[in-house]
Every structure is written in structure tokens, then in C-alpha cells.
Amino acid sequence: MNLTLRVWRQAGPSAAGAFVEYRAHDVSPDMSFLEMLDVVNEELTAKGEAPIAFDHDCREGICGMCGMMINGLAHGPVQATTTCQLHMRSFTDGETLTIEPWRAAAFPVLRDLCVDRGAFDRIIQSGGYVSVATGNAVDGNAMPISKPDADAAMDAAACIGCGACVAACPNGSASLFTAAKVSHLGHLPQGQPERYRRALRMVAQMDLEHFGGCTLFGECQAACPKEISIDEIARMNRDFLYASASELEESAKTGGAG
């Protein structure tokens, strides 16, 4: 396969960016998308040019690092697939591919296709923990968890924090990511003590990071490589509303913070 690549090149966060065209020759249909970029980078390096910077790590679809827009779609044209799992047989010989970094105000471009997703880390830090009693290790089945609850927690925990939901959302919302992180602990008995406080803190941090509001457009669910459902957003909103009402009631009983 021979392809034309239009790649966003940007030397740094404050530098102006622009698309630069490259030719990718003799690409094997069995290559992954990242392997194709590796070959292009080897050619650029051999010519003395700066290679294209892009995020990647495990290349097994579980770390969430390999985020980029391919022809306007987060992670490319195949559903439930990360960029590292995307094979070149998904494209046709002679095709022109436009490759961009995630586009969201909360994800500033660091260089070329790399963006700073530290906002996701700060959302998790704001509330993503549970109370665990220290002491001797307990038996694995000491705390029975129903299969529906375990399945629901596992479905939410499948979020790899790649940012495709934000990049695909026309509002730049991080609601699907935040909802998955709120829900996967909230489905379990271990996550109940901080369940509502966690929803309050993580939603507040999400707003502080300047992500856009959620209008349930649904693009986040379509772009998610782990097929996280927007039902998790509804669950997060219920927890947030309950927590907000409870906080107001508590404030009224105690006469308020002032």
C-alpha cells in the first residue's frame, strides 16, 4: 500500500502548528497504525529530519496512551479499537490520511500528536479512592458481591483514560471518562463510604479543568475503544444530584459554612 499522510506538526506548546504532507511507501496491510508511523519516522530520521512525535506505550489496547484523530475520528474508523490495535488493512491503497492530535482546550498540544492529559489524572486524584481497613489480608470471598454489580463495575473499569471521548465530543466534555471512574468504585460495596463525596469532588475537578458541558450527544460512546456506555453519565449525574442535595440539607442543619 502507498499512502499520503497529512500530519499535524507543532514544535512545542507555544509554537504555531501546520499540516505537513508525507508519503508512506510499501505499507503492509498487516502493520498496525503505530508501526506504519514507526516506518515513516525511520525514513525521516535517515534524512536528518525530526521524527513525528506521538504518544504510545503498551501497544496492546489497555494503556490509553495512543490517542490521535485519524480522518476526523478518534482512534480511526474501526469501532472499539485503539490506535495501536488499528491495522492498515482498514484503509485503501492510495488513500490520503489526515492525522491530528486530540482537539480540546483541556488537552494542550505538547508536540506534534502529543497532548497533555494531566487533567484526567487530577480528576482521579480529586476523588478516585476508597477506604480500606488495614490489617491482615482477608479471604477473597469475605465480602460477597453480586455478579450484576461485579459486571457493572468491570464494564466501567474498562476505561483506559485515552481521551477519545473528549476528542470526539463537540463540547470537549470529559463526562464519560469521569462517570466511568465514579461508577466503577460506586458499584462495589468497598466504594460506598465515599460514593457521593467522590461524585461531588470529581465533577468539580472536571469543571475546574475547563472541559465542556455534556449534552448527551453520544459521540463519546461511539468513539470509546472500550465501549463505555453513556448510561454511566446518567448514573454519575444521579449521584451528583443526590450528593448536592444532601450537602445543602446538611448545611441548613448546621447553619451553613458562614
Side-chain angles (χ1 to χ4, degrees):
M1 299 172 64
N2 295 309
L3 302 165
T4 300
L5 308 181
R6 294 180 66 246
V7 183
W8 184 262
R9 301 302 307 265
Q10 186 171 333
S14 57
F19 284 104
V20 178
E21 199 165 286
Y22 300 99
R23 306 289 180 188
H25 303 286
D26 300 324
V27 175
S28 167
D30 296 326
M31 282 182 179
S32 74
F33 199 87
L34 299 187
E35 288 170 338
M36 182 274 294
L37 288 179
D38 288 339
V39 172
V40 172
N41 274 345
E42 288 176 3
E43 293 178 3
L44 291 176
T45 303
K47 290 189 290 187
E49 298 181 27
I52 301 163
F54 60 91
D55 286 323
H56 64 95
D57 191 10
C58 73
R59 300 201 176 200
E60 295 179 349
I62 58 174
C63 75
M65 283 295 291
C66 58
M68 61 187 74
M69 303 294 287
I70 304 168
N71 288 346
L73 297 172
H75 291 302
V78 182
Q79 274 200 310
T81 303
T82 56
T83 306
C84 66
Q85 296 174 304
L86 179 66
H87 288 89
M88 297 311 297
R89 54 180 171 267
S90 304
F91 305 96
T92 56
D93 186 28
E95 191 171 350
T96 297
L97 307 182
T98 300
I99 309 170
E100 305 169 75
W102 289 158
R103 298 294 193 189
F107 290 161
V109 175
L110 297 175
R111 180 176 179 142
D112 297 339
L113 305 177
C114 301
V115 300
D116 179 0
R117 283 172 282 185
F120 272 10
D121 296 331
R122 291 188 288 275
I123 290 174
I124 293 177
Q125 287 169 358
S126 70
Y129 62 88
V130 296
S131 295
V132 177
T134 58
N136 294 332
V138 297
D139 292 337
N141 295 322
M143 184 178 290
I145 301 171
S146 70
K147 188 169 191 310
D149 285 343
D151 288 347
M154 189 61 210
D155 287 346
C159 173
I160 55 177
C162 66
C165 51
V166 176
C169 176
N171 303 327
S173 172
S175 288
L176 190 65
F177 163 78
T178 307
K181 298 305 178 186
V182 167
S183 292
H184 90 260
L185 297 173
H187 280 296
L188 299 173
Q190 297 95 327
Q192 296 308 306
E194 295 91 1
R195 174 177 171 181
Y196 298 106
R197 192 187 318 152
R198 180 184 308 115
L200 273 180
R201 290 182 175 179
M202 294 182 79
V203 170
Q205 187 65 37
M206 176 177 67
D207 292 340
L208 283 174
E209 299 290 348
H210 304 298
F211 288 105
C214 174
T215 52
L216 291 179
F217 203 79
E219 280 295 315
C220 55
Q221 177 178 270
C224 177
K226 297 302 175 184
E227 299 186 304
I228 306 291
S229 169
I230 57 174
D231 289 348
E232 302 296 353
I233 297 177
R235 193 175 193 280
M236 176 185 71
N237 289 340
R238 286 199 303 272
D239 281 5
F240 178 79
L241 287 173
Y242 179 85
S244 300
S246 301
E247 193 171 63
L248 285 173
E249 186 178 345
E250 186 66 23
S251 178
K253 286 179 181 177
T254 59

